[in-house]
Amino acid sequence: MLKKEKLIKKTEDFVKKVFLEDYTGHDWWHTHRVRVLAKKIAISESADLFIVDMAALLHDVGDYKFFGGDEEAGVLFVKKWLSSLKVTKELVDKILTVISNISYKNTLLESSNREKQNSPNFPSKEFMAVCDADRLDAIGAIGIARAFTYGGFYKRQIYNPKIKPMKNITQEEYKKTDAPSINHFYDKLLRIKEMMHTKLGKKIAKKRHRFLNLYLKEFYKEWKGKL
Ligand code: ADP
Ligand code: NI
């Protein structure tokens, strides 16, 4: 196996290439931000920084959306990359445990399906660091920018007062919704604060959550033409 720094550099170049043409808010810079924040959280949790770095780098390249909804194919793609690097099986397992459990929609699974997440390494400190960092990038000022970028890319409206957000959206509904982007605040963004795993994650989420609410308040005010 190559030195850890070399593995990280090679993976960085690989991921940059994968995301060269993504305009849905899932670009290289999202990965970059997740990586930076995940490592900060990892330090505060004494998690393994190499696993966190590799998992943060690879957490979205196997996203089910890029594989026509096939999650297995996404994980396989990452597995192939790691085996091309000749990373030990133990490390591969730890990295895959992080990325295969990270998707937001998987948290919408019925509790009876939760045993799927019964890998021996789950939830690892490394998972908690990367997962919190990924979720945090969906809220706050950047999260708002990403939501409207995503919505615009998929030709969604910004807001439609006639289309109310769904209460308790299910995994299936979440996957196929074409609701206006503001609804996504209720389907996902405003729920993130309660989904943090780490102390530092919670602290950052609280601040970013406040900003979401401030933004929504201002948004509705302007929508009604209030002065
Ligand atoms: P998931 O974790 O469910 O796979 P992603 O993390 O892939 O979702 O989403 C990428 C970015 O796009 C995030 O910032 C997310 O909030 C945003 N996004 C996802 N779905 C929508 C949607 N229906 N409307 C607006 N933004 C969305
Ligand atoms: Ni991500």
Side-chain angles (χ1 to χ4, degrees):
M1 194 173 92
L2 293 166
K3 280 218 172 91
K4 287 183 173 170
E5 301 84 71
K6 197 88 196 237
L7 293 171
I8 289 169
K9 179 74 184 77
K10 274 180 167 256
T11 302
E12 197 180 304
D13 293 344
F14 168 70
V15 176
K16 273 185 188 161
K17 246 186 241 157
V18 173
F19 288 134
L20 219 50
E21 294 275 349
D22 188 280
Y23 302 102
T24 65
H26 246 146
D27 55 5
W28 161 253
W29 291 111
H30 161 66
T31 298
H32 171 79
R33 291 186 301 268
V34 170
R35 198 180 168 198
V36 170
L37 202 52
K39 284 196 275 188
K40 280 197 181 149
I41 298 173
I43 290 168
S44 72
E45 294 287 320
S46 314
D48 181 323
L49 282 174
F50 173 71
I51 301 290
V52 166
D53 208 354
M54 289 293 279
L57 275 168
L58 291 164
H59 85 275
D60 268 341
V61 300
D63 194 298
Y64 71 100
K65 288 188 226 65
F66 304 131
F67 292 89
D70 186 347
E71 291 181 43
E72 298 297 319
V75 174
L76 205 67
F77 181 67
V78 175
K79 228 177 183 167
K80 268 197 191 143
W81 169 251
L82 292 173
S83 78
S84 79
L85 291 179
K86 301 196 170 51
V87 176
T88 64
K89 186 174 177 312
E90 194 203 341
L91 291 177
V92 171
D93 283 349
K94 286 187 176 164
I95 295 168
L96 289 182
T97 298
V98 177
I99 57 177
S100 55
N101 287 302
I102 213 160
S103 166
Y104 172 71
K105 74 175 171 35
N106 283 349
T107 63
L108 300 170
L109 285 172
E110 302 298 322
S111 53
S112 58
N113 285 343
R114 281 241 162 203
E115 295 101 61
K116 275 190 182 169
Q117 299 177 328
N118 65 359
S119 135
N121 297 321
F122 191 83
S124 60
K125 283 181 182 175
E126 292 71 30
F127 166 80
M128 295 196 274
V130 179
C131 188
D132 281 8
D134 189 35
R135 302 248 165 90
L136 285 167
D137 204 53
I139 56 174
I142 288 178
I144 294 170
R146 290 181 74 214
F148 290 112
T149 300
Y150 184 102
F153 185 84
Y154 289 106
K155 302 196 164 53
R156 311 265 167 83
Q157 293 177 308
I158 295 174
Y159 175 56
N160 184 336
K162 294 203 172 101
I163 306 176
K164 301 279 179 233
M166 272 183 266
K167 272 194 189 129
N168 303 321
I169 192 165
T170 64
Q171 188 188 14
E172 282 314 308
E173 286 164 346
Y174 179 78
K175 257 170 133 174
K176 59 172 204 264
T177 182
D178 58 358
S181 299
I182 283 286
N183 294 33
H184 186 63
F185 283 61
Y186 303 93
D187 294 344
K188 172 176 175 180
L189 310 190
L190 291 166
R191 298 175 175 195
I192 285 177
K193 179 170 71 81
E194 301 306 325
M195 294 167 53
M196 289 291 112
H197 301 88
T198 65
K199 209 170 155 205
L200 183 55
K202 282 188 183 120
K203 192 173 154 198
I204 303 169
K206 210 170 156 191
K207 187 162 168 254
R208 294 188 184 185
H209 185 90
R210 270 206 300 272
F211 190 74
L212 290 181
N213 278 327
L214 186 71
Y215 177 83
L216 285 171
K217 212 169 146 194
E218 187 65 23
F219 185 97
Y220 295 127
K221 234 168 103 182
E222 290 182 17
W223 189 270
K224 289 178 185 147
K226 284 197 178 150
L227 302 182

